[in-house]
Amino acid sequence: MTFPAIEKASKEEIKILQERLLQETLHYVNVNSEYYRALFLEQNIDVNAIKTISDLQQLPVTTKDDLQKNNDAFLCVPKNKIIDYCTTSGTLGDPVTFGLTDKDLDRLAYNEAISFDVAGVKEGDVVQLMTTIDRRFVAGLAYFLGLRKLGVGVIRVGAGIPQLQWDSILKYQPNYLITVPSFLLKLIEFAEQHNIDYNNSGIKGAICIGEPLRNQDFTPTILAKKITDKWNIKLFSTYASTEMSTAFTECEHSKGGHHHPELIITEILDDQNNPVKSGESGELTITTLGVEGMPLIRFKTGDIVQLHDEPCPCGRTTIRVGPVLGRKQQMIKYKGTTLYPPAMHDVLSHFDSVENHVIEISTNDLGTDEIVIKIASEKASDELLSEIKDYFRAKLRVTPKIEFAPIEELNKVVFPAISRKPIRFFDLR
């Protein structure tokens, strides 16, 4: 499968396509979405007047709160047209249900097929899927559908269990893995303990989700470097969400996730919902294109990112989404410094002796943000604590309060039974 011609088109050609699809989407939601029809009526918005990307600024944004409070009103089809029910992870509140139609599942498959193609996965390859496909989780299903459409063999192992993962790798010889990157360190550890030559296992690359692989300048994070220093494989970052039904995946040049302009419109907005200047960071705001069940108009994702539009050596002319700096709601002001959890997670990744950790944010008596980091380590000592604090000071200019905790205690909160991914950040403000 070759990538769509639109991804090599000029900026003007991309703009023309997106504006045509935008007008189709606005007319569709005006007729079929109870929520948007009422919103446009209430605010006296004529969708026929919205013709260009810049005209989007005349429309109000959609927030996660809007979705949670009016979930059913966003649905544009009768319930008997829904083929798959999935939910968001509920990181910032109650989960939101998304209904996908047969057409939406086809779109999801197309999105993932062209996204895997960006990362170099080709027809005839074999991929080991190391994420869950159940629990109303859209990503695992999307990966399977996309790989199937691409003509790729899939080994559905699911999450965890290093021994089972290696049994499958050695038996079926996949070329690529789809996984949370920190789990690759567990695979390396298991392989070293059991004399498995992981550098001759046939794995060429891993498509990684859930944890950052790149810093803002696209250099590898500490976590990424720890993996590739030992395992000679290529790591590809992919960024997506249930709400977007679209992925931004890195190519081999690791310069940001490539945009699929036929599937989604992107804006980067400031706190007043105005577009930021070129090259500045802001909140990624998306309008889905071609979604039948629950299309979204100007949905604020909560993720702070930067767009990159300089040409990519891979030949694609589309914009690229840079690494997520953090979630807007999780921004921390600490001793005059602005911090986001991913930066603190990356600092802690530097220490092999830190087996697990959680970050807790609360409001102190002065009304300012307070950070407490709890870490588990078999090598707990004053020397390790001092070393971690010094590293925080060197990397982030501040040192939060850090204390040791039993590994069993942290495992209970990081890996709760009802969660689909580790939870290491707790906002108690």
Side-chain angles (χ1 to χ4, degrees):
M1 180 176 180
T2 56
F3 60 77
I6 192 64
E7 299 191 4
K8 275 190 170 180
S10 68
K11 285 182 170 61
E12 184 59 29
E13 288 172 308
I14 290 173
K15 183 173 182 289
I16 290 170
L17 171 71
Q18 289 212 305
E19 289 178 347
R20 176 175 63 79
L21 295 175
L22 171 62
Q23 290 171 48
E24 291 176 6
T25 298
L26 289 175
H27 282 97
Y28 178 77
V29 298
N30 196 39
V31 171
N32 297 288
S33 168
E34 177 188 334
Y35 178 82
Y36 285 116
R37 184 169 60 250
L39 181 67
F40 295 161
L41 191 63
E42 176 191 332
Q43 301 204 12
N44 198 27
I45 292 168
D46 178 7
V47 294
N48 293 307
I50 311 298
K51 298 185 181 299
T52 68
I53 302 296
S54 58
D55 287 343
L56 273 171
Q57 293 168 45
Q58 300 175 33
L59 300 178
V61 297
T62 303
T63 66
K64 190 71 170 276
D65 283 346
D66 294 328
L67 278 176
Q68 289 173 324
K69 292 173 184 174
N70 308 279
N71 200 170
D72 289 346
F74 279 89
L75 193 63
C76 290
V77 297
K79 288 197 173 178
N80 63 0
K81 293 291 185 184
I82 298 173
I83 302 298
D84 185 75
Y85 290 87
C86 61
T87 56
T88 61
S89 56
T91 305
L92 301 172
D94 294 331
V96 173
T97 298
F98 277 78
L100 282 74
T101 66
D102 200 50
K103 180 183 173 185
D104 291 335
L105 292 174
D106 287 342
R107 180 189 176 283
L108 202 58
Y110 168 80
N111 160 71
E112 291 298 343
I114 61 177
S115 296
F116 285 126
D117 182 78
V118 169
V121 181
K122 303 296 181 187
E123 181 179 355
D125 282 333
V126 178
V127 174
Q128 186 147 312
L129 183 54
M130 298 160 62
T131 62
T132 182
I133 203 169
D134 55 5
R135 299 187 186 181
R136 306 194 304 268
F137 189 36
V138 73
L141 174 64
Y143 300 145
F144 176 78
L145 292 174
L147 293 168
R148 177 174 178 260
K149 185 174 182 65
L150 198 54
V152 170
V154 186
I155 311 162
R156 293 183 293 106
V157 181
I161 320 177
Q163 181 174 348
L164 180 58
Q165 303 291 353
W166 275 116
D167 286 347
S168 291
I169 291 169
L170 298 174
K171 182 173 183 178
Y172 302 112
Q173 298 186 309
N175 313 99
Y176 293 90
L177 310 174
I178 301 175
T179 182
V180 174
S182 57
F183 186 66
L184 293 172
L185 292 175
K186 295 188 181 300
L187 287 186
I188 291 171
E189 181 183 13
F190 183 91
E192 290 176 342
Q193 291 172 350
H194 295 82
N195 298 315
I196 296 171
D197 187 358
Y198 49 90
N199 273 310
N200 283 305
S201 60
I203 302 297
K204 295 193 294 185
I207 291 87
C208 296
I209 64 167
E211 295 167 337
L213 294 176
R214 314 278 171 233
N215 298 310
Q216 291 301 303
D217 62 356
F218 298 117
T219 55
T221 60
I222 294 169
L223 172 60
K225 199 167 185 314
K226 286 176 77 171
I227 295 165
T228 55
D229 279 351
K230 287 200 165 188
W231 200 348
N232 184 28
I233 58 175
K234 183 74 176 173
L235 302 180
F236 298 91
S237 180
T238 186
Y239 163 69
S241 71
T242 304
E243 296 92 346
M244 294 192 299
S245 291
T246 311
F248 296 84
T249 303
E250 285 184 332
C251 68
E252 61 182 317
H253 300 286
S254 307
K255 297 295 183 184
H258 279 279
H259 175 222
H260 301 311
E262 70 275 44
L263 298 179
I264 199 166
I265 293 172
T266 58
E267 301 174 83
I268 307 296
L269 304 182
D270 62 20
D271 289 342
Q272 287 72 47
N273 296 331
N274 296 315
V276 302
K277 294 178 182 176
S278 179
E280 290 186 354
S281 297
E283 186 171 358
L284 178 65
T285 302
I286 59 95
T287 297
T288 55
L289 302 171
V291 171
E292 186 176 47
M294 283 184 65
L296 296 177
I297 309 297
R298 302 197 83 200
F299 174 75
K300 300 192 77 176
T301 63
D303 292 324
I304 306 300
V305 302
Q306 181 182 339
L307 292 185
H308 300 266
D309 60 4
E310 65 276 8
C312 183
C314 75
R316 291 174 177 83
T317 55
T318 51
I319 57 173
R320 301 182 307 284
V321 173
V324 175
L325 184 62
R327 289 193 64 78
K328 182 182 176 183
Q329 294 90 337
Q330 295 177 351
M331 186 181 80
I332 305 154
K333 292 291 288 186
Y334 188 68
K335 297 180 180 178
T337 299
T338 298
L339 298 175
Y340 288 97
M344 291 186 279
H345 293 315
D346 196 48
V347 167
L348 293 164
S349 295
H350 175 76
F351 296 91
D352 292 332
S353 51
V354 174
E355 298 166 56
N356 209 342
H357 71 272
V358 297
I359 300 169
E360 294 180 352
I361 311 298
S362 59
T363 304
N364 61 26
D365 295 339
L366 300 175
T368 59
D369 291 344
E370 194 68 48
I371 305 173
V372 176
I373 298 177
K374 297 179 180 179
I375 60 176
S377 174
E378 288 184 355
K379 300 179 180 178
S381 65
D382 290 341
E383 288 77 16
L384 176 60
L385 204 59
S386 178
E387 190 180 347
I388 294 172
K389 288 182 177 180
D390 287 345
Y391 199 72
F392 262 97
R393 197 174 295 111
K395 290 294 183 180
L396 302 181
R397 303 197 305 275
V398 292
T399 303
K401 181 180 179 183
I402 303 171
E403 58 189 43
F404 291 110
I407 184 69
E408 298 82 7
E409 176 186 313
L410 294 194
N411 283 346
K412 284 179 183 178
V413 295
V414 172
F415 305 106
I418 60 171
S419 180
R420 299 179 296 218
K421 53 189 176 184
I423 301 174
R424 291 195 171 89
F425 178 76
F426 296 87
D427 195 336
L428 311 176
R429 291 175 289 187

